[in-house]
């Protein structure tokens, strides 16, 4: 009986923690950054008393770092799913970029958090975002290494260039009207293909 009660309490605690995270995400927008959120606002949106917040997070900074981790994990999971959906003759780049753009436009508050905190005033937040981006780069580099059999160093360099380009496109999409999304997607696909072709020919001797 006690074990069942313990599990129930653990589940309730996890649900409340999740409610706090979702409440914080839901309040982020183009006009409201994480730094402008108050603990009371988040607690009210989550449906808990402000004092209950401290049972789950030490302070707002810890919540913010958790949001960054969640944002990075969410994006990486989507990109993994995109690669899994690619058929034998499918376009890796097109499928990946279309998935990324769907993420940016459908979860703009999540992506905006990463962009803002990447260059924010908090060293801890900047470090957390940099870590998430490096996870993203590492997964892409591993995929490129397996698919192209290129050396680790070159796969890493290509992945870093691709991720930088894609994040810039995401930032542009946040401020662009919906009718420009198709253009941004097409432009980025072309640019990434240039990168891929350049990486494939890198190091080859010129023909006489």
């Amino acid at each position: 009986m006690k074990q069942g009660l313990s599990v129930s309490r653990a589940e309730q605690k996890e649900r409340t923690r999740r409610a706090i995270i979702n409440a914080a995400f839901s309040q982020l927008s183009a006009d409201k950054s994480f730094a402008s959120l108050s603990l009371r606002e988040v607690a009210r949106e989550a449906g808990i008393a402000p004092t209950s917040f401290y049972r789950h997070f030490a302070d707002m900074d810890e919540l913010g770092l958790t949001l960054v981790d969640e944002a990075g994990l969410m994006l990486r999971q989507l990109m993994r799913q995109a690669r899994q959906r690619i058929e034998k003759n499918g376009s890796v780049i097109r499928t990946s970029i279309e998935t990324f753009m769907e993420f940016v436009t459908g979860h703009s508050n999540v992506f905006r958090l990463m962009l803002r905190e990447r260059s924010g005033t908090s060293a801890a937040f900047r470090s957390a975002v940099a870590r998430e981006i490096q996870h993203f780069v590492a997964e892409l580099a591993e995929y490129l290494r397996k698919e192209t059999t290129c050396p680790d160093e070159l796969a890493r360099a290509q992945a870093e260039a691709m991720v930088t380009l894609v994040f810039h496109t995401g930032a542009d999409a946040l401020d662009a009207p919906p009718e420009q999304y198709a253009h941004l997607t097409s432009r980025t696909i072309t640019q990434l293909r240039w990168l891929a072709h350049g990486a494939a020919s890198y190091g080859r001797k010129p023909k006489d």
Side-chain angles (χ1 to χ4, degrees):
M1 186 72 175
K2 289 184 178 179
Q3 184 177 1
L5 182 60
S6 175
V7 171
S8 177
R9 286 176 176 172
E11 291 175 347
Q12 179 59 46
K13 183 174 182 180
E14 179 56 31
R15 281 197 294 268
T16 302
R17 186 176 186 275
R18 174 52 51 186
I20 294 171
I21 292 171
N22 291 340
F25 269 134
S26 71
Q27 294 182 68
L28 299 176
S29 68
D31 301 318
K32 194 161 192 175
S33 66
F34 179 79
S36 65
L37 293 183
S38 71
L39 188 153
R40 288 185 175 278
E41 287 177 316
V42 173
R44 183 171 60 250
E45 182 69 18
I48 63 171
T51 52
S52 297
F53 176 93
Y54 295 105
R55 298 175 187 169
H56 306 275
F57 299 96
D59 50 32
M60 286 293 287
D61 282 348
E62 183 179 346
L63 172 60
L65 292 173
T66 299
L67 295 186
V68 171
D69 290 343
E70 291 264 333
L73 178 59
M74 189 185 306
L75 179 55
R76 292 200 307 278
Q77 288 175 337
L78 282 175
M79 300 314 292
R80 288 172 196 159
Q81 292 169 10
R83 288 194 287 268
Q84 291 171 358
R85 289 198 304 267
I86 296 167
E87 297 179 354
K88 185 176 181 180
N89 295 321
S91 169
V92 175
I93 289 177
R94 176 173 293 280
T95 302
S96 297
I97 293 307
E98 288 177 348
T99 300
F100 177 79
M101 290 296 286
E102 289 171 5
F103 170 79
V104 171
T105 56
H107 302 83
S108 59
N109 54 342
V110 177
F111 186 67
R112 189 175 280 111
L113 171 74
M114 296 187 72
L115 286 181
R116 282 173 169 164
E117 301 308 333
R118 186 182 185 184
S119 57
T121 58
S122 169
F125 277 46
R126 292 197 303 274
S127 177
V129 174
R131 183 174 61 250
E132 292 303 319
I133 291 175
Q134 287 307 307
H135 287 327
F136 195 53
V137 169
E139 287 194 8
L140 179 56
E142 178 63 14
Y143 178 81
L144 292 171
R145 186 187 65 77
K146 290 180 178 178
E147 292 297 312
T148 64
T149 65
C150 67
D152 291 346
E153 184 178 352
L154 292 182
R156 180 82 184 190
Q158 183 181 348
E160 287 179 345
M162 285 182 159
V163 169
T164 298
L165 176 58
V166 167
F167 266 69
H168 276 301
T169 296
D172 289 342
L174 288 177
D175 297 322
E179 58 268 23
Q180 289 188 15
Y181 294 165
H183 167 70
L184 289 173
T185 299
S186 177
R187 183 192 70 184
T188 306
I189 289 171
T190 298
Q191 292 171 333
L192 289 174
R193 284 175 175 165
W194 287 344
L195 271 174
H197 287 304
S201 62
Y202 181 78
R204 293 178 182 173
K205 293 182 179 180
K207 295 181 179 180
D208 294 334

